Amino acid sequence: QVQLVESGGGLVQAGGSLRLSCAASGRIFSINTMGWYRQAPGKQRELVATITSGGITNYADSVKGRFTISRDNAKNTVYLQMNSLKPEDTAVYYCNTDSIAYYSGSYYQYKYDYWGQGTQVTVSS
């Protein structure tokens, strides 16, 4: 099986920085677009940033210029560098991939719209 495991969340003061990581574990063959989403209390989950397997990025307007998404395909890992954090960035951050191919026994299998368990980011004012 495969897992997406996030790390790097925590408590930081406004203006500070955090770096989130999301590593895919298992017998991975390929991962398509990866991204970060977040969900604040009482709000819907929203897109933060995505990155294709070829490195094309997309950001929510609210984080442009402050957050940077990157990935290391050799390590099956996606990162989110968050700078100039604001209290409104407080949320649970989730890693996502739209498709991941992996070996299971002798066959390829796929998971679509696959999520990690989330990591809490809290920004104090």
Side-chain angles (χ1 to χ4, degrees):
Q1 291 299 325
V2 294
Q3 279 189 304
L4 296 177
V5 181
E6 300 101 333
S7 60
L11 173 64
V12 64
Q13 287 190 330
S17 298
L18 283 175
R19 188 191 195 210
L20 305 183
S21 299
C22 171
S25 64
R27 300 174 65 198
I28 308 297
F29 176 71
S30 66
I31 306 175
N32 197 27
T33 297
M34 300 185 80
W36 290 95
Y37 293 73
R38 66 187 181 187
Q39 187 166 19
K43 295 188 177 181
Q44 289 189 328
R45 192 172 297 189
E46 63 177 4
L47 168 74
V48 176
T50 61
I51 184 167
T52 68
S53 57
I56 297 172
T57 59
N58 179 54
Y59 295 92
D61 287 343
S62 59
V63 306
K64 281 181 182 176
R66 300 188 298 122
F67 292 9
T68 302
I69 190 170
S70 61
R71 65 190 284 173
D72 184 333
N73 290 330
K75 295 182 179 179
N76 295 320
T77 299
V78 64
Y79 305 96
L80 186 68
Q81 178 66 45
M82 305 186 293
N83 299 328
S84 302
L85 282 160
K86 304 175 181 180
E88 52 263 43
D89 294 318
T90 295
V92 177
Y93 283 69
Y94 296 91
C95 176
N96 170 271
T97 179
D98 61 355
S99 69
I100 182 168
Y102 61 99
Y103 298 101
S104 179
S106 302
Y107 304 97
Y108 291 117
Q109 296 211 23
Y110 297 85
K111 288 190 181 291
Y112 300 97
D113 195 24
Y114 198 56
W115 295 88
Q117 82 286 352
T119 186
Q120 176 70 46
V121 171
T122 302
V123 184
S124 63
S125 57

